Each structure stands twice: as C-alpha cells, then as structure tokens.
Amino acid sequence: MAVISVINGPNLNMLGTREPGIYGAQTLADIETSLRKLAKQHGHDILFYQSNAEHDLVNQVQQSQQNDVACILLNPAAFTHTSVALRDALLAVALPFIELHLSNVHAREAFRQHSYFSDIAQGVICGFGPKSYELALLAAISLIEQPSRD
C-alpha cells in the first residue's frame, strides 16, 4: 500500500458554488470521497489537504516525506502562476508529483497559461473537471506500481 497526497490550493474549498460553469457542481468533499474509494480499490491510501494559504501548502509538501508519501497530486489553483515557494518545496522533497487542474488552463486567460510547476511535474492533467482528479490518481498509481528499471 502506498500513500498518495492530494494537495489543493486556494478557493478549491468553494467548489460546487464557485463558477460552476467552469469548475462544475461537485464539491471538494465529493472529489475526496471518490478518490478515497478509487485509491482503496487499488490498495492505496489518500492524504487529502486544502488550504488558501501558501505557507500551509508549502508545509504540507514538506511533511510528505515524514508521511511516507509515494506521489503527490497537486492542484495549485491560483498559485500555479505565482508560487516559487511551492515550486521550491516540491523540488526540496524530490517526490514525483502530478499537476492537475479542473479547467483547461491553456484555453483560458493568457496569465493562466503559465505554470511554475509543469516543467518539474511527472505530468499535467487539465480540462476534465472533477474527472481530472481521477485521471491524475490513476496516473500516480501507474507510476507507483511501475516495476523498477534496474
């Protein structure tokens, strides 16, 4: 069994009511429930976290090593475009992570098309609404279960 950390940035606590035309009607609690179920089906566990504060997200990433996290799923939300601190934390822990977004950031405003994380992520999944989380989880499971290439 591996532990997969799901870290969510600012305003994701407002899912379900925040711009449902862009982000959908599911709440973050709904997404957490479906991810826990999917992870359990594959024999893994989820640590789920959300904060609107950058320093709390940095602390959560740093705590990943002590929590024996095998992979991080990161929806940095607005911090995608601004957070060097969160990027540095991910580099410091040196754990594989997948960047994910509910919306297709490449089809939105120009400022949303730049990410401080994409170039260091294992991969990026965006544009599938809440399904982006499930796709990212399945990708993480594939990374974790991939046989070592010695």
Side-chain angles (χ1 to χ4, degrees):
M1 176 183 85
V3 176
I4 300 164
S5 181
V6 183
I7 300 175
N8 298 279
N11 298 312
L12 291 168
N13 57 308
M14 300 294 293
L15 288 180
T17 59
R18 176 187 176 216
E19 299 177 87
I22 295 173
Y23 300 108
Q26 285 190 3
T27 66
L28 195 59
D30 295 335
I31 292 169
E32 179 180 0
T33 298
S34 68
L35 284 188
R36 286 191 185 285
K37 181 179 177 184
L38 183 59
K40 186 176 181 180
Q41 289 171 354
H42 288 270
H44 301 296
D45 195 18
I46 294 284
L47 292 176
F48 205 87
Y49 185 79
Q50 187 278 328
S51 179
N52 293 322
E54 183 179 34
H55 70 280
D56 289 337
L57 298 171
V58 168
N59 288 339
Q60 188 68 22
V61 167
Q62 291 176 355
Q63 189 64 40
S64 295
Q65 289 178 319
Q66 289 78 18
N67 291 335
D68 292 323
V69 168
C71 188
I72 297 171
L73 305 185
L74 175 68
N75 185 344
F79 289 135
T80 303
H81 327 292
T82 63
S83 185
V84 174
L86 192 51
R87 176 191 171 96
D88 287 349
L90 289 159
L91 289 170
V93 298
L95 291 169
F97 78 95
I98 297 168
E99 177 184 352
L100 74 104
H101 302 280
L102 294 159
S103 67
N104 180 353
V105 293
H106 304 289
R108 297 192 59 196
E109 304 93 334
F111 73 89
R112 294 189 194 275
Q113 296 174 21
H114 176 266
S115 168
Y116 278 97
F117 306 101
S118 297
D119 66 315
I120 60 170
Q122 291 289 315
V124 179
I125 297 174
C126 68
F128 296 99
K131 193 78 167 166
S132 292
Y133 281 88
E134 292 177 27
L135 294 170
L137 179 58
L138 291 172
I141 291 168
S142 179
L143 283 172
I144 292 164
E145 295 178 352
Q146 182 177 10
S148 176
R149 296 181 186 164
D150 292 333

